[in-house]
Amino acid sequence: MWCSENWKDYELLDASDGERLERWGKYILVRPDPQVIWKNTARHPKWARADAVYKRSSNGGGGWAKNTLPTQWNIGYGELSFVLRPMGFKHTGLFPEQAANWDWFSELIRKSGRKSVKVLNLFAYTGGATVAAAKAGASVVHVDAAKGMVAQAKENAALSGLADAPIRYIVDDCKKFVQREIRRGNKYDAIIMDPPSYGRGPSGEVWKIEDSADELVTLTAQLLSDDPLFFLINSYTTGLSPMTMKYIIDLRVRSRFGGKTETGELGLKISATGGYLPCGASARWTAEK
């Protein structure tokens, strides 16, 4: 399991009965998590003192049953800073487990010895990976279909001292952007993608990652330069297993460039027990043997 041990402003305090107890800076949140299937194991005293509690609705969706949080606040991860805004669908604007990937590719970028590393970040959300790559010295093309998320990514870059960094922000459908980049002949040294498990396109077409991952990786791999550095894909659905992602990357990337592909679960350490909560999976290809 890949897990960052470097968080100071985020902590998974406890997990029980389908919920997480989390510290985001100085605020305590309770949020649902379907991976927490163990019952009656709550230990941490702050369960009763949360600043916000998100509850699922029996009709689908949900909302904050309790919320005394400010509209927004900031937290840091090393040299990076992020603005948090609790949303109506339980998210805060950041996935802390992804810090394990930020650490991994930041080291690759810094140690590459290259004058420039051009990174494409697809389904880039609020830019955690974008600011990490830019802080490591890369130029980044950040693509997401949600205008509000891209605006928040710009805020995160500015908070991290990267307002003038070589980051290009694009609001667009990721697949259509990739197809246009192929026609333009543009190339990238590294690709990061964090596709959603499920969604609908602008014409109502259904997106399911397990049905679309191979096509997406096949298309996007065409954008790799002649000497690529890494390729990263994340999954938050059980319908796309880590080994399936590895097999796809081996077919579409490693077969062309050699190197190696690794896969594993992402996780967060639970302070109350010392155990780890699984939070999705990643497949990582690198040119290193």
Side-chain angles (χ1 to χ4, degrees):
M1 177 172 281
W2 293 320
C3 180
S4 173
E5 303 289 347
N6 298 321
W7 274 109
K8 293 181 174 59
D9 282 355
Y10 173 85
E11 185 180 3
L12 180 53
L13 301 170
D14 204 353
S16 180
D17 299 274
E19 294 180 319
R20 300 183 186 189
L21 178 70
E22 303 169 293
R23 178 180 61 82
W24 296 82
K26 65 179 182 179
Y27 298 107
I28 306 299
L29 281 67
V30 174
R31 299 190 299 156
D33 191 313
Q35 293 289 337
V36 183
I37 62 172
W38 44 93
K39 305 291 185 182
N40 304 315
T41 61
R43 298 183 182 183
H44 205 284
K46 289 191 177 179
W47 280 103
R49 301 199 299 271
D51 297 291
V53 178
Y54 188 97
K55 291 294 185 181
R56 291 288 192 192
S57 168
S58 58
N59 299 322
W64 295 97
K66 174 187 177 183
N67 188 351
T68 60
L69 300 170
T71 303
Q72 66 182 55
W73 70 99
N74 300 339
I75 66 170
Y77 181 77
E79 297 179 294
L80 309 179
S81 295
F82 304 98
V83 59
L84 300 181
R85 294 189 181 98
M87 305 176 190
F89 45 96
K90 87 170 183 176
H91 291 174
T92 63
L94 195 66
F95 293 96
E97 65 274 7
Q98 286 295 332
N101 281 328
W102 306 340
D103 294 342
W104 170 75
F105 65 66
S106 293
E107 184 177 13
L108 286 176
I109 293 168
R110 291 190 177 102
K111 291 185 175 180
S112 68
R114 304 184 186 196
K115 290 184 178 179
S116 64
V117 175
K118 189 176 180 182
V119 176
L120 175 61
N121 187 12
L122 297 171
F123 309 96
Y125 194 50
T126 59
T130 293
V131 296
K135 184 64 79 172
S139 63
V140 185
V141 175
H142 173 111
V143 186
D144 196 278
K147 185 177 180 180
M149 297 299 100
V150 174
Q152 191 164 333
K154 292 181 181 179
E155 290 184 71
N156 288 333
L159 283 171
S160 299
L162 297 166
D164 298 321
I167 304 173
R168 181 183 172 203
Y169 300 95
I170 297 172
V171 179
D172 201 353
D173 176 87
C174 288
K175 180 180 175 182
K176 291 180 179 178
F177 176 81
V178 168
Q179 291 170 326
R180 283 196 295 273
E181 289 290 88
I182 291 171
R183 293 194 294 269
R184 293 169 183 144
N186 288 333
K187 298 292 182 179
Y188 297 86
D189 302 305
I191 291 171
I192 300 165
M193 62 170 68
D194 198 357
S197 299
Y198 178 86
R200 290 189 179 273
S203 302
E205 61 272 26
V206 174
W207 157 277
K208 293 179 68 175
I209 188 172
E210 56 265 43
D211 297 333
S212 305
D214 182 50
E215 178 190 16
L216 183 62
V217 171
T218 300
L219 280 172
T220 308
Q222 295 178 53
L223 297 179
L224 288 169
S225 64
D226 293 336
D227 185 23
L229 185 61
F230 68 85
F231 193 109
L232 168 66
I233 182 172
N234 297 306
S235 171
Y236 284 89
T237 177
T238 55
L240 186 62
S241 72
M243 288 307 297
T244 297
M245 290 193 294
K246 180 182 184 299
Y247 193 87
I248 291 171
I249 291 183
D250 283 344
L251 280 176
R252 309 307 182 193
V253 179
R254 192 170 67 85
S255 64
R256 290 172 53 199
F257 299 105
K260 66 178 181 181
T261 309
E262 298 177 298
T263 189
E265 285 189 293
L266 295 171
L268 293 168
K269 187 174 183 178
I270 304 171
S271 298
T273 64
Y276 289 84
L277 175 68
C279 302
S282 296
R284 304 167 170 176
W285 173 87
T286 177
E288 295 179 350
K289 297 282 195 305

